């Protein structure tokens, strides 16, 4: 693919008089005759914009004198007066000083293709809006952290036990026969064993009977083949497109090199394959009725109280029986924190519960958000 080359001329701004867009061919400002120097960004050239292909929007240089300047090599700046000079001269055009090792080289700009600029924001006070949004987000983040820190801080409050309540229940269970159903391959005949003092029982599996075939589930089985097509995307050549690159020559001119590259486009296609087809097939097994034993509740007795000591209801386990106990305790504590409030303490054992007495003082540790962290008797 043939290359296409051309020279692009840059422009510079004079920092002495403020003249702008001075063509690079001028080493001195046309307005004030000030020589272009390294300081003041006078050596930073603007080469214009490029299109989507990277091609400069400026016209290429055709003037022989300008082309001669572009081919003279990188500019150098005199160490004595600071004036810019052609790369192919050995004495400063401004002060006639010889070019020495202390001469400064012209800066080289990076003109490689850059990512496309982001879309310009819509007209309006976007900067103000951005600042407001940033301020809101910042204040929210700070506020959340501050509230969280403040909310977890604790303080002690004084309270008083206003009531105590207890509940105790005794549940009587008996090991009784019952019929159940199960899958035949999971049933194994086992003799039952009755409990001794409410423990050591074996439910057993006996008298397996009345087995019938029932659906237990499904399974997938091969059922021939089928043609399955899926839409996919691939890159294919679809012609050529021009790509251009520019190189700063260090003297106010840039060389642009363009050539044609293969262009690739997305193409949708159907990827079809022969795959095994499956169908759901019911799975049947024998479901049977059998005899076994299970614990079943036959009686329950309950007692409740407030200031009196907790006690258990009277209920005795008989043959093939057991007794299961349930208990719960509550202590109500009243305190003031921006109004009268109540906190409930739930002791787990009797000895913890009986230590709480109605009218007893309590110290509560409460967070600033109102959560009671701890309650201790005084």
């Amino acid at each position: 693919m043939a290359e296409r080359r051309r020279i692009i001329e840059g422009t510079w701004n004079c920092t002495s008089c403020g003249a702008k867009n001075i063509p690079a061919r001028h080493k001195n400002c046309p307005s004030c005759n000030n020589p272009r120097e390294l300081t003041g960004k006078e050596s930073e050239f603007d080469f214009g914009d490029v299109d989507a292909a990277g091609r400069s929007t400026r016209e290429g240089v055709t003037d022989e004198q300008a082309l001669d300047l572009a081919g003279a090599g990188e500019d150098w700046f005199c160490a004595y007066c600071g004036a810019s000079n052609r790369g192919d001269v050995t004495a400063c055009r401004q002060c006639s000083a010889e070019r020495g090792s202390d001469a400064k080289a012209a800066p080289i700009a990076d003109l490689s293709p850059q990512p496309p600029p982001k879309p310009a924001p819509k007209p309006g006070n976007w900067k103000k809006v951005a600042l407001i949004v940033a301020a809101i987000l910042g204040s929210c983040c700070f506020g959340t952290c501050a509230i969280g820190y403040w909310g977890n801080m604790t303080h002690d409050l004084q309270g008083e036990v206003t009531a105590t309540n207890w509940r105790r229940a005794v549940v009587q269970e008996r090991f009784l026969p019952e019929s159940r159903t199960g899958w035949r391959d999971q049933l194994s005949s086992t003799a039952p064993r009755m409990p001794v003092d409410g423990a050591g029982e074996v439910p057993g599996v006996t008298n397996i009977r009345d087995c019938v075939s029932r659906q237990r589930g499904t399974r997938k089985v091969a059922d021939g083949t089928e043609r399955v097509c899926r839409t996919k995307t691939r890159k294919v050549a679809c012609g050529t497109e021009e790509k251009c690159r520019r190189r700063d020559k260090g003297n106010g001119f840039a060389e642009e090199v363009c050539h044609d590259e293969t262009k690739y486009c997305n193409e949708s296609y159907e990827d079809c394959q022969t795959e095994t087809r499956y169908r759901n097939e019911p799975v049947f097994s024998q479901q049977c009725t059998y005899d076994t034993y299970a614990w079943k509740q036959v009686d329950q007795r309950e007692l409740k109280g407030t200031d009196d000591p907790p006690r258990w209801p009277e209920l005795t386990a008989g043959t093939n029986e057991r007794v299961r106990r349930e208990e719960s305790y509550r202590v109500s504590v009243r305190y003031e924190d921006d109004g009268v409030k109540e906190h409930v303490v739930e002791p787990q054992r009797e000895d913890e519960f009986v230590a709480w007495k109605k009218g007893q003082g309590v110290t509560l540790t409460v967070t600033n958000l109102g959560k009671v962290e701890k309650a201790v008797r005084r």
Side-chain angles (χ1 to χ4, degrees):
M1 300 180 184
E3 290 185 342
R4 297 176 293 280
R5 296 175 178 267
R6 63 179 185 152
I7 299 298
I8 306 299
E9 185 175 7
T11 57
W12 60 282
N13 301 327
C14 179
T15 58
S16 295
C17 68
K20 297 184 181 301
N21 299 321
I22 304 169
R25 67 188 67 188
H26 297 294
K27 300 293 185 184
N28 291 63
C29 175
S31 298
C32 67
N33 202 38
N34 181 65
R36 182 170 62 82
E37 300 176 347
L38 186 62
T39 58
K41 295 187 177 182
E42 290 180 346
S43 60
E44 295 182 4
F45 290 92
D46 177 15
F47 294 99
D49 297 327
V50 296
D51 59 19
R55 182 180 177 85
S56 176
T57 56
R58 291 186 178 182
E59 293 294 330
V61 174
T62 58
D63 179 76
E64 290 295 333
Q65 184 180 1
L67 290 173
D68 180 59
L69 286 172
E74 297 178 7
D75 284 354
W76 60 276
F77 293 83
C78 181
Y80 293 96
C81 69
S84 63
N85 295 275
R86 288 171 54 125
D88 58 357
V89 299
T90 58
C92 177
R93 63 182 177 82
Q94 184 74 16
C95 67
S96 300
E98 291 293 324
R99 178 179 183 178
S101 59
D102 54 354
K104 298 180 180 179
I108 304 298
D110 180 11
L111 300 181
S112 57
Q114 301 296 320
K118 294 181 178 180
K122 294 182 179 179
N125 297 328
W126 64 270
K127 288 186 177 179
K128 184 176 180 181
V129 173
L131 290 174
I132 293 175
V133 172
I136 292 174
L137 292 176
S139 61
C140 288
C141 180
F142 175 78
T144 301
C145 295
I147 292 175
Y149 176 78
W150 173 84
N152 289 324
M153 295 178 63
T154 60
H155 54 280
D156 288 343
L157 298 174
Q158 304 305 313
E160 179 182 341
V161 176
T162 57
T164 60
N165 296 275
W166 59 268
R167 170 189 171 277
R168 281 185 168 180
V170 175
V171 179
Q172 185 181 29
E173 297 177 331
R174 186 175 299 152
F175 201 52
L176 295 172
E178 69 173 14
S179 295
R180 295 183 179 180
T181 58
W183 299 111
R184 185 65 184 87
D185 59 351
Q186 295 178 345
L187 298 177
S188 178
S189 296
T190 305
R193 184 171 65 238
M194 296 299 105
V196 178
D197 296 329
E201 72 281 356
V202 174
V205 175
T206 60
N207 192 23
I208 301 173
R209 63 193 183 278
D210 301 333
C211 297
V212 294
S213 180
R214 297 187 185 280
Q215 185 175 344
R216 190 172 182 176
T218 59
R219 63 181 176 187
K220 290 187 177 295
V221 295
D223 187 26
T225 60
E226 60 183 348
R227 193 71 171 166
V228 178
C229 295
R230 297 176 178 86
T231 301
K232 295 185 178 180
T233 304
R234 61 188 171 193
K235 296 280 188 181
V236 296
C238 56
T240 60
E241 58 183 348
E242 186 179 47
K243 291 293 184 182
C244 300
R245 292 173 177 80
R246 298 185 301 180
R247 180 181 65 85
D248 186 357
K249 296 178 68 66
N251 52 19
F253 294 86
E255 182 181 41
E256 180 183 83
V257 180
C258 298
H259 61 274
D260 294 326
E261 294 183 356
T262 302
K263 180 181 179 181
Y264 292 93
C265 303
N266 288 328
E267 178 186 71
S268 296
Y269 69 100
E270 293 293 319
D271 180 20
C272 299
Q273 297 178 351
T274 300
E275 298 181 357
T276 303
R277 181 177 61 243
Y278 293 90
R279 60 180 172 81
N280 289 325
E281 181 179 87
V283 176
F284 291 88
S285 291
Q286 292 291 308
Q287 190 177 62
C288 307
T289 302
Y290 66 96
D291 294 335
T292 185
Y293 281 81
W295 288 106
K296 296 183 180 181
Q297 181 176 327
V298 294
D299 197 0
Q300 176 177 326
R301 297 181 186 180
E302 181 181 284
L303 289 177
K304 296 181 180 179
T306 53
D307 301 327
D308 52 324
R311 59 188 185 277
W312 293 104
E314 295 184 2
L315 190 58
T316 305
T319 304
N320 299 335
E321 292 182 347
R322 66 183 181 187
V323 172
R324 177 167 50 84
R325 294 185 171 187
E326 300 173 353
E327 58 186 325
S328 62
Y329 306 98
R330 291 171 58 91
V331 177
S332 299
V333 179
R334 184 177 299 167
Y335 65 100
E336 291 190 6
D337 186 14
D338 293 333
V340 178
K341 296 183 178 180
E342 184 178 275
H343 175 66
V344 175
V345 179
E346 296 183 342
Q348 299 299 309
R349 303 192 311 270
E350 179 183 358
D351 58 336
E352 296 176 354
F353 172 73
V354 297
W356 296 84
K357 304 295 183 183
K358 188 175 180 180
Q360 188 177 38
V362 180
T363 299
L364 300 100
T365 301
V366 185
T367 68
N368 286 337
L369 293 179
K371 180 182 178 181
V372 177
E373 298 283 353
K374 184 170 56 175
V376 180
R377 303 185 312 274
R378 294 202 307 272

